[in-house]
Amino acid sequence: EADIYQTPRYLVIGTGKKITLECSQTMGHDKMYWYQQDPGMELHLIHYSYGVNSTEKGDLSSESTVSRIRTEHFPLTLESARPSHTSQYLCASSETGTGALLYEQYFGPGTRLTVT
Amino acid sequence: AQKVTQAQTEISVVEKEDVTLDCVYETRDTTYYLFWYKQPPSGELVFLIRRNSFDEQNEISGRYSWNFQKSTSSFNFTITASQVVDSAVYFCALSAQGGSEKLVFGKGMKLTVNP
């Protein structure tokens, strides 16, 4: 069972508010990821990190920002929420493999964000 | 470039039927990994299996089985004697060194198992 947590699970917030979605894992994984999942089910990578002080933008452009100050913590921040940010946000983590070895990602329960 | 195609978007079956979920992938890397994830209505993605490109052995885990065929670039998933609890969205995914190890997901397939 994966030990990766996200809070809040559900959030309804007004336009223009600043929000931070929390993600923590207790598995000591170096790699962490944020995905955005639209109502059509498709998953899009928006941010990833391969270790402390390392963050990269994913394949889908996002107005959100992330930070990685501690291994276990990878919060996502929206400075000014808009209705277009309404979505499900999923956090994941994985081990770092040696050589060509790649490991599976473990996912948190997600945060369902609604911006009114 | 990496790509995963799940041609079926939605399948509905009656309990105890067998169902196969198709997955076709594209990659130029010789070393890559394939995955299946399950997303029940609760929303969390649950890891089911990882398979590397050098291991074409099929795998069986209870009612689940996976058929990996490099010749057709496919990694299909079969659920035998389906149950209502199998109702979920299933994602196939690919990760390769050439893609910076990022997971590339298919668009998902919604399975509904009716009693």
Side-chain angles (χ1 to χ4, degrees), chain B residues 58-92:
Chain B
N58 292 329
E59 181 153 340
I60 298 174
S61 176
R63 296 184 296 107
Y64 294 172
S65 61
W66 290 270
N67 183 348
F68 176 29
Q69 293 198 337
K70 286 177 77 170
S71 60
T72 56
S73 297
S74 65
F75 186 43
N76 296 337
F77 173 28
T78 297
I79 301 174
T80 302
S82 59
Q83 299 176 2
V84 173
V85 293
D86 296 326
S87 297
V89 178
Y90 291 86
F91 291 92
C92 181

Side-chain angles (χ1 to χ4, degrees), chain A residues 2 4 9-10 31 33 35 37 40-43 45 48 50 57-59 88 90 99-110, chain B residues 9 31-33 35 37 39 42-47 49-50 89 91 95-97 99-110:
Chain A
I4 181 163
R9 290 294 311 276
Y10 303 92
K31 296 181 178 179
Y33 312 83
Y35 292 86
Q37 186 174 28
M41 304 184 303
E42 199 166 353
L43 285 148
L45 179 68
Y48 62 99
Y50 285 171
K57 289 192 178 295
D59 303 320
Q88 162 108 319
L90 290 160
L101 181 60
L102 297 177
Y103 285 100
E104 60 275 12
Q105 294 180 17
Y106 290 98
F107 285 78
Chain B
T9 55
T31 302
Y32 54 89
Y33 286 77
F35 306 82
Y37 285 85
Q39 188 175 35
S42 58
E44 179 176 348
L45 264 79
V46 177
F47 165 71
I49 190 170
R50 177 189 69 175
V89 178
F91 291 92
S95 184
Q97 292 284 356
S100 300
E101 304 176 18
K102 292 181 283 185
L103 268 181
V104 174
F105 284 90
K107 293 188 176 183
M109 199 286 301
K110 183 177 181 180

Side-chain angles (χ1 to χ4, degrees), chain A residues 24 96 106:
Chain A
S24 295
T96 300
Y106 290 98

